[in-house]
Amino acid sequence: MGSDPQYAKYPLLPLAQHIFTLTNPSAPKAIQQTSLKSLQDAITEHKMAPLYRYLAHPVEGILNATGETSSKATPAPLGRKPSAAGMVASKHSIPKIDLPWDEALYEKLKKDNDEELEGFKKEEEEAAEKAGETEVQAARGKRAEFWARVGDKDRAIAAYEEVFEKTGVLGTKIDLVLAIIRMGLFYGDKLLVKKHVDRAKTLVESGGDWDRRNRLKAYQGLYLLMVRSYSLAAPLLLDSLSTFTSYELCTYSSLVVYSVLAGSVSLKRVDFKSKVVDAPEIKAILGDGEDKLLALSGALSAGPGADEEMKDVSSATPSTTKTAVNLTNLGSDQPEAEAAVNFSPLAQLVGSLYTGSYRSFFGALAAVEVNFLTQDRYLYEHRGWFVREMRLRAYQQLLQSYRVVGLESMANDFGVSVDFLDRDLAKFIAAERIPCTIDRVTGKGIIETNRPDDKNKQYNDVVRQGDQLITKLQKYGQAVRLRGSERA
């Protein structure tokens, strides 16, 4: 039997996005001011003394290049500590807006933390004397959540591990490992996240319940997105759409964005149509008119399970502003309302890529880069790669339909100059990503595709595999002869 998730409230991952926004040169000033206020309010409300010191201390803080204490304070060096690389837009980015350091505030927060810790210590001691192991474990769990709440990564992980070692309930063990993964995500520690994602997979495979299996899919998908394994992330994220409950990880709006982007850049055209263009959960967000109404009413559904095959429905037509709603969980316990998100660029990107409207595709790709790739802490690092791969996908899709294409004609289709297209295609041709040649010597400006001959390819494969088989047989024959001589 499953049980409700535990240790799922902390750390507060939205704060990590606010920290990223403060150092993001692409973030609007108004958004940075909002993030600064949200961060300051959270530090005060949750008494986050360790995180406040880690971020704002005039000497050790990662966000302040200049302090606001006494003139004797040593200015922090430019650049970032290695441990901060995952929290900020880049290792050398300096925030436009400082998080001011207030020594009195820090001392007050630290005093409150010490008093709270003392209370946990007394509670654990009383539980050990008067109650049983269950109550002792509950007290240890509170202390672990306390460290996660105030943003002390090392102590939180150590406390979670202590609780993990003392518990025998598989569901609780999985929840503890997921909490450690979120600490790694908060601080951008990819190695820590990878280690504990693998650990969680082992635990889930040993008998985890259905809910935790599906929650882990979202965790895995987000990790794979962080390390640019979009082809592996796409099926996990898309499967998570119909059963998403991991609100401690990200909002449903964010999951839709991650799923659509990962699917757009990595899925084959047939899968792209069934799992992105025609997926009911995505149509409900990006769709329009009758399609969206059918999805909202439940007439179209991907089914109750995340592992069921998505069925084809009529295609979506992107258009106006859409906001995110978790349609599959209406009526269940929901977190506070999500902020409205303009999905129009994303909808236009999906629709134009599938229908071959390349001029609008390039415009949508630019809008997606500005509105999503440069603003999200998980997507920012790979924004250049994503845009380049999407351009390649569009080029490949157009060229595979023609034997010969005029360079000027193709440039007009994409709404770019001939010189830009020539330079862009040349990079992909040189890297053997597009099998074609460009003839500009004669002045014709012709792109000629070089489709591989299937028969020749099959023949070469047979020859290569045959050579490998003969080599293995020769080695096997030598081993048999040796054994025969040994018997003689």
Side-chain angles (χ1 to χ4, degrees), residues 312-332:
D312 286 352
V313 293
S314 56
S315 61
T317 304
S319 175
T320 55
T321 301
K322 295 108 185 156
T323 57
V325 180
N326 188 345
L327 304 167
T328 58
N329 290 304
L330 289 177
S332 61

Side-chain angles (χ1 to χ4, degrees), residues 292-320:
K292 186 168 185 176
L293 184 61
L294 288 172
L296 283 166
S297 65
L300 300 177
S301 174
D307 295 321
E308 292 186 10
E309 182 179 356
M310 296 183 181
K311 298 180 180 179
D312 286 352
V313 293
S314 56
S315 61
T317 304
S319 175
T320 55

Side-chain angles (χ1 to χ4, degrees), residues 152-440:
D152 194 316
K153 175 186 172 185
D154 295 334
R155 288 178 176 171
I157 293 173
Y160 281 133
E161 291 288 1
E162 182 183 0
V163 178
F164 183 94
E165 293 298 325
K166 301 291 184 180
T167 188
V169 181
L170 180 60
T172 302
K173 285 178 176 284
I174 296 171
D175 292 339
L176 288 163
V177 175
L178 294 181
I180 295 174
I181 292 173
R182 293 196 306 277
M183 289 301 301
L185 291 172
F186 188 95
Y187 284 92
D189 190 336
K190 296 176 184 176
L191 293 178
L192 178 70
V193 173
K194 181 183 185 305
K195 174 183 175 182
H196 287 88
V197 163
D198 293 340
R199 188 182 182 188
K201 286 170 61 179
T202 301
L203 290 170
V204 165
E205 288 166 3
S206 69
D209 59 75
W210 180 88
D211 177 63
R212 288 180 173 85
R213 286 177 182 272
N214 281 287
R215 289 176 64 216
L216 181 58
K217 279 186 179 182
Y219 281 72
Q220 281 183 266
L222 190 55
Y223 162 70
L224 291 169
L225 204 70
M226 287 177 65
V227 296
R228 202 192 286 178
S229 294
Y230 279 55
S231 58
L232 297 177
L236 293 169
L237 293 171
L238 288 165
D239 281 350
S240 298
L241 285 172
S242 60
T243 55
F244 183 68
T245 57
S246 303
Y247 294 102
E248 75 281 1
L249 186 65
C250 64
T251 64
Y252 189 75
S253 301
S254 296
L255 183 70
V256 170
V257 173
Y258 300 150
S259 301
V260 171
L261 293 178
S264 298
V265 79
S266 64
L267 294 179
K268 294 181 179 179
R269 184 171 174 81
V270 174
D271 293 332
F272 177 61
K273 175 174 172 56
S274 64
K275 296 183 178 181
V276 178
V277 177
D278 287 348
E281 288 77 20
I282 293 178
K283 285 172 95 57
I285 304 298
L286 306 187
D288 228 6
E290 185 179 353
D291 288 337
K292 186 168 185 176
L293 184 61
L294 288 172
L296 283 166
S297 65
L300 300 177
S301 174
D307 295 321
E308 292 186 10
E309 182 179 356
M310 296 183 181
K311 298 180 180 179
D312 286 352
V313 293
S314 56
S315 61
T317 304
S319 175
T320 55
T321 301
K322 295 108 185 156
T323 57
V325 180
N326 188 345
L327 304 167
T328 58
N329 290 304
L330 289 177
S332 61
D333 292 336
Q334 292 285 325
E336 61 185 63
E338 296 178 19
V341 177
N342 181 2
F343 287 100
S344 296
L346 207 58
Q348 189 179 8
L349 182 74
V350 171
S352 59
L353 177 62
Y354 182 71
T355 59
S357 304
Y358 299 114
R359 182 179 291 268
S360 60
F361 169 79
F362 264 32
L365 183 59
V368 165
E369 181 180 12
V370 171
N371 295 336
F372 296 103
L373 301 179
T374 62
Q375 304 302 320
D376 187 278
R377 62 187 294 251
Y378 299 119
L379 303 174
Y380 183 87
E381 182 181 357
H382 310 300
R383 64 196 185 283
W385 172 88
F386 181 88
V387 171
R388 185 168 61 251
E389 289 297 308
M390 289 300 289
R391 292 203 313 270
L392 171 63
R393 186 180 180 105
Y395 296 152
Q396 289 173 332
Q397 184 170 289
L398 184 145
L399 290 172
Q400 71 183 3
S401 303
Y402 300 97
R403 180 70 178 176
V404 175
V405 182
L407 187 62
E408 185 175 353
S409 173
M410 185 173 173
N412 289 334
D413 286 343
F414 281 95
V416 297
S417 68
V418 173
D419 289 337
F420 171 83
L421 184 62
D422 185 20
R423 291 194 305 270
D424 210 28
L425 285 174
K427 298 174 186 176
F428 294 122
I429 294 171
E432 299 183 353
R433 305 290 302 278
I434 300 179
C436 68
T437 57
I438 303 176
D439 179 12
R440 296 202 71 183

Side-chain angles (χ1 to χ4, degrees), residues 2 20 55 98 148 232 238 265-266 324 455 468:
F20 166 83
L55 296 176
D98 277 350
L232 297 177
L238 288 165
V265 79
S266 64
K455 288 187 177 179
Q468 293 173 352

